[in-house]
Amino acid sequence: MRILIQKFGGTSLSTDHAREHVIHHISRERGNGFAVVVVVSAMGRKGDPYATDTLLQLIRDNGDSLPMRERDMLLGCGELISAAALCSLALANGIPSVVLTGGQAGIVTDEQYGQARIKEVVPDKVLRYLRTGSVVIVTGFQGSTAQGETTTLGRGGSDTSATALGAALRAEMVDIYTDVNGILTADPRIVEQAKPLPVVSYAEICNMARQGAKVIHPRAVEIAQQARVPLRVRSTFSTETGTLVTDSAELRAELIVKDRHVTGIAHVSGITQISVKAIEGRNDVQLQVFQSMAKHHISVDFINVTPSGAIYTVFDRDAERAVQVLKDCGFAPAAINGCAKVSVIGGGMNGEPGVMARIVEALTEQGISIMQSADSNTTIWVLVREADMADALRSLHAKFELHR
């Protein structure tokens, strides 16, 4: 069989009009000769009746004391409602369909409720239904322990479900349908000249996702990369093919028009920079700082360590607690909140002279100060004031001519 995975997010399932588009995509790919597996998220977003955030609010409004096991049982209901509604609509349109929960589809997880990790996928039941000609609709975001307990996979879990099934079924492609037509060079709400990208590598989209682009979850990309399953990020409301995510030279060759050093610009806001100076006579500043952050479950990022101290960032929501923890350790931390992390991402920048110079040039021309910087093979990060973030994104997008 030629197997295709289609994943539809909450906005793709939230209205009658949207679900009609979903049926069209399923029907088209069946007509193209594919055996189709559909992975669904809960309908809509926060405030909509069956959305995951709405179910979480239901817990908060009723004592906020539900254990994690029972919490996962509730949260799995949103995807089950989506799957049942879509199955009914598919059958009404003459498309043979069946619903499987994540556990029934063979997604076996550990017992970490709320943030379960997939241990294996045994898709025997999925294959049996596909061989009968049925479309298999699978509830995303969830799996089951070896003992049969329902678990959820955390944020982005439906993307992860889709690529895990794609890997296990050796699918030809995994299509991630959303409300935007592919991956753009920057956030179009800020950078008006942002353009869709026809093709990106796994590493590029993984970095873009980690640095603020919310089109697909990085865990899902990592699974696809390991299994060498190509992804496409597409719009539910269009027939265009969107953005192809692959490292395959054969697939990429048809879409790449020219070589590029920078692929896109991403950002994360709501960040606080914390500086801690070493205390004379103590040589354990770095050890104490990061052990104390770990002990209090405070996530740290953008870390620069020197003999004289440490500079790093936390989310604004954790800043006050982080500063107090450091003071309790005897340090006198300095904190600057209201910062933003801007990322310049591109697989072609590794070993290419002048990329950092152009970043500095673009920001200097706008009078934007760089508070901190770091780099990897495919990404250069700079920390700026959040008030300067939009100008930084636009100037970097223009400097690297990403609008062309």
Side-chain angles (χ1 to χ4, degrees), residues 86-243:
L86 185 61
C87 182
S88 180
L89 187 59
L91 291 168
N93 281 271
I95 302 172
S97 303
V98 63
V99 172
L100 297 178
T101 66
Q104 290 169 338
I107 297 175
V108 182
T109 75
D110 61 20
E111 297 177 6
Q112 188 178 348
Y113 296 106
Q115 289 287 341
R117 307 291 292 190
I118 296 173
K119 296 172 67 175
E120 63 176 338
V121 180
V122 186
D124 298 351
K125 187 174 287 189
V126 176
L127 285 167
R128 285 201 300 273
Y129 281 115
L130 289 178
R131 291 188 185 107
T132 69
S134 292
V135 170
V136 181
I137 303 172
V138 179
T139 57
F141 175 61
Q142 60 184 252
S144 177
T145 68
Q147 291 73 39
E149 299 283 359
T150 298
T151 54
T152 64
L153 308 179
R155 291 297 182 185
S158 293
D159 291 346
T160 304
S161 300
T163 55
L165 283 166
L169 292 165
R170 299 182 181 179
E172 256 184 54
M173 186 78 68
V174 175
D175 281 340
I176 305 292
Y177 285 92
T178 180
D179 53 0
V180 295
N181 189 28
I183 300 160
L184 277 67
T185 52
D187 187 337
R189 295 169 298 181
I190 299 174
V191 182
E192 294 80 2
Q193 291 184 308
K195 287 186 60 177
L197 291 161
V199 60
V200 296
S201 69
Y202 294 111
E204 286 172 329
I205 186 53
C206 214
N207 278 316
M208 291 177 78
R210 286 196 185 102
Q211 305 310 321
K214 296 180 173 62
V215 177
I216 186 170
H217 198 278
R219 277 173 66 192
V221 179
E222 288 164 1
I223 291 171
Q225 182 176 18
Q226 290 165 8
R228 318 311 296 172
V229 177
L231 304 174
R232 284 183 301 205
V233 179
R234 313 179 61 173
S235 170
T236 304
F237 308 99
S238 167
T239 57
E240 294 183 30
T241 54
T243 300

Side-chain angles (χ1 to χ4, degrees), residues 204 259-263 344-359 375-380 400:
E204 286 172 329
D259 194 13
R260 64 190 177 216
H261 303 311
V262 171
T263 299
V344 178
I345 300 157
M349 70 167 64
N350 186 23
E352 180 66 25
V355 177
M356 186 63 187
R358 294 176 72 184
I359 292 172
D375 67 277
S376 72
N377 286 340
T378 59
T379 308
I380 295 176
F400 289 99

Side-chain angles (χ1 to χ4, degrees), residues 172-173 199 230 244-246 248-256:
E172 256 184 54
M173 186 78 68
V199 60
L244 175 67
V245 184
T246 182
S248 165
E250 184 178 345
L251 291 174
R252 291 168 64 87
E254 298 179 12
L255 296 173
I256 293 179

Side-chain angles (χ1 to χ4, degrees), residues 219-399:
R219 277 173 66 192
V221 179
E222 288 164 1
I223 291 171
Q225 182 176 18
Q226 290 165 8
R228 318 311 296 172
V229 177
L231 304 174
R232 284 183 301 205
V233 179
R234 313 179 61 173
S235 170
T236 304
F237 308 99
S238 167
T239 57
E240 294 183 30
T241 54
T243 300
L244 175 67
V245 184
T246 182
D247 286 338
S248 165
E250 184 178 345
L251 291 174
R252 291 168 64 87
E254 298 179 12
L255 296 173
I256 293 179
V257 177
K258 63 177 181 178
D259 194 13
R260 64 190 177 216
H261 303 311
V262 171
T263 299
I265 314 291
H267 67 280
V268 179
S269 57
I271 289 173
T272 294
Q273 182 192 59
I274 296 178
S275 304
V276 186
K277 291 185 178 179
I279 298 172
E280 189 173 351
R282 289 180 59 177
N283 59 3
D284 63 346
V285 56
Q286 295 90 357
L287 177 63
Q288 287 295 311
V289 165
F290 296 115
Q291 276 189 344
S292 66
M293 294 296 102
K295 181 180 177 181
H296 290 84
H297 307 289
I298 298 172
S299 178
V300 301
D301 190 23
F302 222 148
I303 302 164
N304 293 138
V305 173
T306 68
S308 61
I311 301 175
Y312 62 98
T313 62
V314 299
F315 288 112
D316 283 348
R317 63 177 180 266
D318 296 324
E320 187 175 346
R321 188 160 55 98
V323 168
Q324 187 58 54
V325 167
L326 293 169
K327 288 180 177 178
D328 292 344
C329 292
F331 297 110
I336 303 173
N337 57 18
C339 300
K341 182 181 181 182
V342 175
S343 306
V344 178
I345 300 157
M349 70 167 64
N350 186 23
E352 180 66 25
V355 177
M356 186 63 187
R358 294 176 72 184
I359 292 172
V360 175
E361 184 179 41
L363 298 182
T364 300
E365 288 170 353
Q366 298 299 317
I368 298 171
S369 297
I370 298 174
M371 303 166 63
Q372 205 176 334
S373 68
D375 67 277
S376 72
N377 286 340
T378 59
T379 308
I380 295 176
W381 302 274
V382 293
L383 190 71
V384 300
R385 294 279 191 177
E386 192 166 340
D388 293 327
M389 182 187 74
D391 287 339
L393 291 169
R394 295 187 189 106
S395 63
L396 288 167
H397 196 273
K399 181 62 69 174

